[in-house]
């Protein structure tokens, strides 16, 4: 039976000389693996450049319940990216976010809220001419709300530490090393609550940005099973510095 669904490309793995297996977060079925044949052939209907990190697509798919590999009848970019593939900063941020998403999203079932958040955020990031170097920080902090570990916004004047393990502010220094001190913690929360279109109003120097990114990755590690090591953030830091 054929189904129409939107999708977000997460990972493409070579299967043979002209075939790939693509993991796509779909609006209708959650994360699914699709076998696509002939992607490198000159007249391929579905080409490799349609299957890059976080590309947004419309698909017509065959879906068999309990099958580990599905098939695609039709796939097309929607929307077609205007800037991400051609802007080194945007493309590097996208590669980084793709790696984090691949390690943190486990939905084997449809989750409309998570899907719409990612789809709309990436669409905005591609369309905007005012992209902020803080986009990836805000994107991941906002995503934590949908993954179930949003930081608590409640704070008192004597609470100078944000406990990454508990996700809340504390008055005393936590006994473990997973915390942020007051100034950086305030930026952490500000990035969480600020709309994407106003991120340029938040001024963060490169050293502080690296610190906050490291803390966000620790936050994800503490709250996401089998999160593992993120490698692309080192390249990202070089590009943004």
């Amino acid at each position: 039976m054929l189904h129409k669904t939107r999708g977000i490309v997460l990972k493409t793995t070579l299967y043979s000389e002209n075939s790939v297996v693509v993991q796509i977060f779909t609006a209708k079925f959650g994360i699914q693996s699709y076998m696509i044949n002939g992607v490198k052939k000159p007249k391929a209907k579905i080409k490799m450049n349609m299957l890059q990190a976080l590309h947004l697509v419309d698909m017509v798919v065959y879906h068999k319940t309990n099958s580990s590999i599905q098939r695609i009848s039709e796939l097309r970019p929607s929307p077609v990216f205007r800037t991400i593939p051609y802007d080194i900063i945007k493309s590097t941020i996208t590669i980084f976010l793709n790696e984090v998403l691949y390690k943190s999203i486990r939905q084997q079932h449809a989750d409309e809220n998570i899907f719409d958040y990612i789809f709309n955020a990436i669409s905005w990031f591609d369309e905007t001419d005012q992209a902020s170097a803080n986009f990836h920080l805000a994107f991941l902090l906002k995503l934590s709300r949908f993954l179930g570990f949003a930081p608590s916004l409640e704070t008192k004047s004597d609470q100078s530490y944000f406990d990454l393990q508990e996700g809340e502010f504390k008055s005393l220094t936590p006994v473990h090393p997973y915390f942020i001190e007051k100034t950086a913690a305030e930026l952490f929360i500000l990035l969480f609550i600020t709309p994407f279109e106003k991120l340029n109003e938040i001024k963060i120097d490169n050293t502080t940005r690296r610190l906050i990114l490291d803390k966000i990755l620790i936050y994800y590690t503490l709250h996401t099973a089998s999160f593992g090591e993120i490698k692309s953030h080192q390249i990202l830091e070089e590009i943004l510095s």
Side-chain angles (χ1 to χ4, degrees):
M1 185 174 178
L2 289 170
H3 302 265
K4 291 183 179 180
T5 184
R6 293 180 298 158
I8 302 167
V9 178
L10 294 179
K11 185 177 182 181
T12 301
T13 305
L14 289 174
Y15 182 77
S16 65
E17 185 177 353
N18 283 303
S19 300
V20 294
V21 174
V22 186
Q23 288 183 281
I24 299 178
F25 184 25
T26 70
K28 199 165 188 176
F29 304 110
I31 295 176
Q32 297 290 322
S33 295
Y34 294 95
M35 175 74 75
I36 305 177
N37 302 116
V39 292
K40 294 185 179 180
K41 294 181 178 180
K43 295 184 179 180
K45 288 172 57 180
I46 301 174
K47 301 180 183 295
M48 281 293 287
N49 63 1
M50 300 179 183
L51 306 174
Q52 302 305 307
L54 293 192
H55 272 43
L56 311 175
V57 295
D58 278 342
M59 301 187 294
V60 178
V61 302
Y62 299 93
H63 186 79
K64 293 182 179 180
T65 305
N66 300 323
S67 176
S68 60
I69 302 290
Q70 309 287 352
R71 291 279 182 175
I72 296 176
S73 174
E74 300 174 25
L75 180 147
R76 64 182 181 86
S78 182
V80 176
F81 281 161
R82 184 177 67 87
T83 63
I84 287 175
Y86 315 107
D87 183 311
I88 185 63
I89 293 177
K90 284 189 175 185
S91 60
T92 305
I93 287 175
T94 301
I95 290 169
F96 164 73
L97 291 178
N98 181 76
E99 184 180 3
V100 176
L101 285 168
Y102 182 73
K103 291 175 178 289
S104 57
I105 298 178
R106 308 295 185 187
Q107 274 68 18
Q108 297 299 322
H109 57 275
D111 191 315
E112 185 177 345
N113 291 330
I114 294 179
F115 182 92
D116 285 346
Y117 167 72
I118 299 170
F119 193 98
N120 293 333
I122 297 301
S123 295
W124 178 88
F125 187 52
D126 179 69
E127 283 296 322
T128 185
D129 294 321
Q130 303 295 322
S132 168
N134 301 323
F135 174 78
H136 57 298
L137 305 178
F139 177 96
L140 292 179
L141 286 169
K142 295 176 191 301
L143 178 65
S144 69
R145 177 191 296 119
F146 300 96
L147 298 179
F149 52 92
S152 171
L153 301 181
E154 293 184 14
T155 181
K156 298 177 181 177
S157 58
D158 66 334
Q159 294 179 317
S160 299
Y161 305 94
F162 185 82
D163 187 324
L164 294 167
Q165 195 162 270
E166 299 296 328
E168 60 186 20
F169 282 91
K170 301 283 188 178
S171 299
L172 301 177
T173 309
V175 295
H176 53 75
Y178 310 124
F179 65 89
I180 314 176
E181 295 187 14
K182 189 174 181 62
T183 301
E186 289 173 347
L187 285 172
F188 190 87
I189 297 301
L190 185 59
L191 288 162
F192 175 68
I193 64 175
T194 300
F196 290 130
E197 58 270 18
K198 293 188 177 181
L199 286 177
N200 279 325
E201 298 175 10
I202 303 176
K203 305 303 179 184
I204 304 177
D205 61 68
N206 289 332
T207 300
T208 304
R209 186 180 295 111
R210 288 194 198 98
L211 169 67
I212 292 176
L213 177 57
D214 287 343
K215 296 299 185 181
I216 290 172
L217 292 178
I218 291 171
Y219 192 51
Y220 267 70
T221 301
L222 291 170
H223 297 278
T224 306
S226 304
F227 186 68
E229 181 184 3
I230 298 295
K231 299 178 181 179
S232 57
H233 80 286
Q234 296 170 351
I235 298 172
L236 175 63
E237 288 175 357
E238 291 179 12
I239 293 294
L240 293 179
S241 63

